[in-house]
Amino acid sequence: MSLREERSLVRNGEYFMIKEMHQRGMNITQIANELGRDRKTISKWLEEGEPKSYQRTVQPPCKLDPFKDYVKQRMEEGCLNASVLFDEIKAKGYTGKTTMLRLFMQPLRPAVISKATERYETPPGKQAQIDWGHFSADWNGKMKRLYAFVMVLGYSRMMYLEFTENEKLETLMGCHLRAMQYFGGRTETCLYDNMKTVVTGLDSQGEVIWNERFARFATHHGFILRRCMPYRPRTKGKVENGVGYVRKNFWPRIREFTSLHDLNLQARRWMDTVANVRVHGTTHEIPWERWRHEGLKPFNLTPFEEVDRHTRKVSSDALVSYDAQRYSVPFQFVGHSVQIQDDKNGLIRIYDTGGTGLIAEHVKAVGRRHQVVTNKKHFEGIRTAGGQKVPQPTPRLVPNSSPEVVHRDLSVYEQLIGEGAALQ
């Protein structure tokens, strides 16, 4: 409460109480404690001979007023950075200074942090949460670590799961793209913790430095990056619970799989028949039914930067070599240069450098080296080395090696004898 407001209240009757207490011998500190007032206020009013009428001044509207609700919402989402919020409301039309914003945010910070244990429910289409889970599997007799990419839509709790060989940036971006394809769109924001491929560090003020390439990927597809606040671990609780659900419900069901691609096919069946059609323990609704109200926005169908690809030349047997294995392509590309893309999720994709696009897709070979993975359709209609189609069989005349015997009627011979006699 300001000094002016306190003086106004004093004029409403307490002025005379202050005078009376002072006349009875109470000092300023005792009066202030008794009335719950500031010592300066008491001292000021003891100097006044009589209460003066107070003219209340009308304060002009604050420039921040139209944006206060937005600032509160963003703070509840975990953004406590005044500079970031200043840029956001400035883009919305705010013409004030950062000082006004900081003064408004200061008393709200403790309340926001104190809600760290409260669950934050996001509106439809607002947020997706992303995390990695680590799993171990018997891989040809040796224990191998597998990485589980999990994305959960904040409102509906729809889940996307994909197992990969690593959690590198290229793999992360590919998983995002396939998750958006599975969900049929994107949310406005995506929430992460401090995974190295997304957050490269903090600046001198403790603010996030995003991975530049991943930030450009997010901008390309239209979603905004958000970081889970260190003091609010439950802000990412939806996806962390999702990873735990995968570990408890999906992983125990897996007895064997033939490849990483096969494992992902089993994961897709589990998503479609279990995870996204059960009654969720928090919402008490089916994620798939709530998903229909998400209102997801379309992502960019134009590919982002081409991921790392490996150029190879197609051999005369229509095969290309990658990672000590060989994969077939359509025979028409013999002698051409192609690019091999390893999605690190059990699939190998092969692209033509001449603009044809995707020309072949194979399950990635695992186990022993020097395997040959083929698709018989790649060899249908194969041509000869001269570039001509293999000719179809045609009828041909075969000469008979024995003399041909002509059979005639006897009357023919009698006629010939008669003709000979007449000539004599």
Side-chain angles (χ1 to χ4, degrees):
M1 183 180 297
S2 67
L3 181 60
R4 175 175 291 178
E5 290 172 327
E6 286 208 357
R7 291 180 62 184
S8 175
L9 291 175
V10 167
R11 286 192 178 95
N12 292 332
E14 292 183 352
Y15 169 78
F16 300 101
M17 295 176 60
I18 293 172
K19 285 288 187 181
E20 181 182 0
M21 290 179 179
H22 189 259
Q23 290 173 357
R24 287 186 299 172
M26 297 178 65
N27 59 35
I28 292 175
T29 301
Q30 292 172 327
I31 297 173
N33 293 337
E34 183 70 17
L35 298 179
R37 302 294 179 190
D38 187 85
R39 294 180 69 258
K40 294 181 180 179
T41 302
I42 301 299
S43 177
K44 179 67 177 178
W45 278 101
L46 287 175
E47 295 174 3
E48 297 282 351
E50 59 183 9
K52 298 178 180 179
S53 60
Y54 173 69
Q55 299 294 329
R56 184 177 183 87
T57 58
V58 179
Q59 295 290 333
C62 178
K63 294 181 180 180
L64 187 63
D65 285 345
F67 308 95
K68 287 182 177 179
D69 289 341
Y70 177 81
V71 172
K72 289 179 180 178
Q73 176 185 336
R74 292 288 288 112
M75 291 182 69
E76 290 175 356
E77 292 178 7
C79 182
L80 302 181
N81 187 305
S83 298
V84 172
L85 294 183
F86 175 74
D87 290 339
E88 292 182 4
I89 62 177
K90 185 178 179 180
K92 293 178 177 293
Y94 175 63
T95 58
K97 304 294 184 181
T98 57
T99 303
M100 186 180 299
L101 174 63
R102 293 179 186 277
L103 290 174
F104 174 72
M105 294 176 62
Q106 185 174 357
L108 298 178
R109 290 176 185 271
V112 170
I113 295 176
S114 68
K115 293 180 180 180
T117 58
E118 296 181 9
R119 185 181 300 276
Y120 175 71
E121 293 297 333
T122 53
K126 182 67 176 179
Q127 184 188 89
Q129 299 186 3
I130 295 91
D131 203 2
W132 289 103
H134 299 154
F135 295 79
S136 296
D138 184 342
W139 194 272
N140 295 317
K142 296 182 179 180
M143 296 305 294
K144 179 181 179 66
R145 169 175 280 194
L146 300 179
Y147 301 83
F149 170 89
V150 178
M151 179 183 287
V152 176
L153 300 183
Y155 171 75
S156 64
R157 303 307 203 276
M158 274 279 284
M159 176 189 294
Y160 176 79
L161 167 66
E162 180 176 332
F163 288 89
T164 67
E165 296 178 11
N166 58 49
E167 51 186 27
K168 295 181 179 179
L169 179 59
E170 299 290 352
T171 307
L172 179 68
M173 292 191 294
C175 289
H176 272 75
L177 184 59
R178 291 184 287 274
M180 291 187 291
Q181 292 170 344
Y182 178 77
F183 292 135
R186 61 166 178 83
T187 53
E188 293 180 18
T189 64
C190 286
L191 183 67
Y192 307 85
D193 57 12
N194 291 318
M195 61 177 68
K196 296 183 295 183
T197 48
V198 177
V199 178
T200 60
L202 302 176
D203 61 18
S204 58
Q205 297 180 348
E207 302 304 329
V208 177
I209 301 176
W210 299 106
N211 179 291
E212 181 180 353
R213 190 175 180 201
F214 188 74
R216 286 191 285 110
F217 171 82
T219 301
H220 177 79
H221 287 293
F223 60 88
I224 300 172
L225 303 180
R226 299 284 187 229
R227 172 175 169 255
C228 177
M229 293 298 295
Y231 300 106
R232 299 185 66 194
R234 294 195 61 113
T235 56
K236 203 163 64 67
K238 300 180 183 70
V239 71
E240 290 177 348
N241 290 340
V243 173
Y245 181 58
V246 171
R247 195 177 304 280
K248 295 176 182 178
N249 191 286
F250 171 73
W251 197 244
R253 301 170 185 262
I254 304 304
R255 299 179 64 88
E256 60 183 16
F257 54 92
T258 58
S259 65
L260 195 56
H261 178 61
D262 177 52
L263 179 61
N264 280 322
L265 290 178
Q266 296 187 50
R268 178 63 63 92
R269 286 193 294 271
W270 176 76
M271 287 187 286
D272 294 340
T273 61
V274 179
N276 292 326
V277 296
R278 98 269 194 201
V279 176
H280 194 275
T282 300
T283 65
H284 304 292
E285 296 183 52
I286 297 175
W288 183 83
E289 293 180 354
R290 285 173 67 94
W291 164 82
R292 292 184 292 180
H293 304 287
E294 283 277 9
L296 300 176
K297 295 179 173 57
F299 56 93
N300 197 336
L301 297 180
T302 302
F304 184 57
E305 298 175 348
E306 298 292 352
V307 298
D308 287 342
R309 292 178 178 174
H310 309 271
T311 302
R312 297 288 189 274
K313 188 173 182 178
V314 182
S315 62
S316 59
D317 52 4
L319 298 174
V320 292
S321 177
Y322 171 71
D323 199 20
Q325 314 290 5
R326 303 182 76 195
Y327 301 90
S328 69
V329 300
F331 69 87
Q332 295 92 336
F333 295 93
V334 168
H336 291 209
S337 291
V338 297
Q339 291 184 329
I340 301 175
Q341 176 179 317
D342 185 354
D343 286 335
K344 304 299 182 181
N345 67 346
L347 284 179
I348 295 292
R349 303 178 195 272
I350 305 175
Y351 294 83
D352 173 37
T353 57
T356 306
L358 181 67
I359 60 173
E361 183 177 271
H362 295 282
V363 174
K364 187 175 181 179
V366 295
R368 61 184 177 83
R369 296 161 63 86
H370 308 298
Q371 298 183 59
V372 178
V373 182
T374 62
N375 181 340
K376 65 179 182 179
K377 291 184 178 181
H378 292 166
F379 305 96
E380 292 180 355
I382 194 167
R383 297 173 183 268
T384 62
Q388 300 296 324
K389 288 186 177 180
V390 177
Q392 295 294 321
T394 56
R396 68 186 182 92
L397 177 65
V398 180
N400 195 336
S401 58
S402 59
E404 183 177 358
V405 179
V406 180
H407 298 277
R408 295 184 175 92
D409 190 85
L410 292 177
S411 61
V412 175
Y413 291 99
E414 291 177 353
Q415 181 181 352
L416 291 173
I417 294 173
E419 292 177 352
L423 290 175
Q424 291 179 357

